[in-house]
């Protein structure tokens, strides 16, 4: 059990026999009336995000979430297979569990998998990943770094927007949360 004073981003709560992760929270003390906590929580299984308000000091049941480092091995056609770095146990995770980050998964990449009672809940990739450009149209003469963007296909198959001066074969740093271009990697 935890009170609203224990809230922090990433905390997993058990409400109505479902698991909810706190995305954002804000303690509010209005000039008149009791204090409360405004939160934005996400249902871990369905991915649905809702806003919920708790009275200050209310006790809420928390779920035990074990975060483990795992290595991505391969995609078997339907599921993604990960291996626990501690006990070498393999887990097959559905695409819904892996989420949108699957676009940036490379074989042998280390990720964090959150487990509750041995059941995988979600996968957290590193914030930045280094990927090679496998295809992009060449930039035209006169293109400058501030001139705009063009689509580029990465080695994982993900397509992101990159500056016009990027060429096929360049290694880029990409934000795995939103797929944005962060810069080139120096060789």
């Amino acid at each position: 059990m935890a009170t609203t004073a224990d809230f922090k981003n990433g905390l997993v709560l058990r409400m109505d026999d479902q698991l909810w992760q706190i995305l954002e929270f804000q303690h509010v003390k209005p000039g008149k009336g009791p204090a409360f906590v405004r939160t934005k929580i996400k249902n871990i299984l369905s991915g649905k995000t809702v806003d919920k308000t708790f009275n200050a000091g209310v006790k809420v049941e928390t779920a035990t979430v074990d975060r483990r480092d795992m290595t991505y091995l391969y995609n078997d056609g339907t599921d993604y297979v990960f291996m626990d770095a501690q006990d070498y146990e393999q887990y097959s995770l559905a695409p819904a569990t892996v989420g949108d980050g699957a676009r940036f998964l490379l074989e042998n990449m280390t990720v964090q998998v959150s487990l509750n009672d041995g059941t995988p809940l979600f996968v957290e990739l590193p914030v930045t990943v280094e990927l090679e450009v496998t295809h992009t149209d060449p930039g035209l003469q006169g293109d400058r770094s501030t001139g705009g963007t063009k689509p580029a296909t990465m080695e994982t198959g993900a397509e992101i927007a990159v500056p016009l001066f990027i060429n096929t074969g360049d290694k880029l740093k990409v934000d795995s949360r939103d797929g944005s271009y962060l810069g080139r990697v120096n060789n």
Side-chain angles (χ1 to χ4, degrees), residues 46-67:
S46 69
K48 180 175 139 185
T49 303
V50 296
D51 293 324
K52 184 160 177 61
T53 303
F54 296 92
N55 290 330
V58 169
K59 291 189 183 224
V60 182
E61 185 180 354
T62 59
T64 304
V65 176
D66 183 22
R67 288 181 165 82

Side-chain angles (χ1 to χ4, degrees), residues 85-150:
Q86 293 175 347
D87 60 10
Y88 304 110
E89 186 176 339
Q90 291 187 5
Y91 293 87
S92 290
L93 304 183
T97 305
V98 177
D100 197 38
R103 303 182 317 144
F104 304 109
L105 272 178
L106 282 172
E107 290 182 0
N108 298 319
M109 178 184 280
T110 301
V111 298
Q112 271 199 342
V113 178
S114 296
L115 303 157
N116 178 325
D117 299 330
T119 305
L121 301 176
F122 52 90
V123 175
E124 295 177 48
L125 270 67
V127 174
T128 61
V129 292
E130 293 180 3
L131 301 172
E132 188 175 325
V133 177
T134 55
H135 175 75
T136 187
D137 295 329
L140 301 172
Q141 177 63 28
D143 289 342
R144 301 288 179 258
S145 62
T146 59
T149 61
K150 63 182 178 179

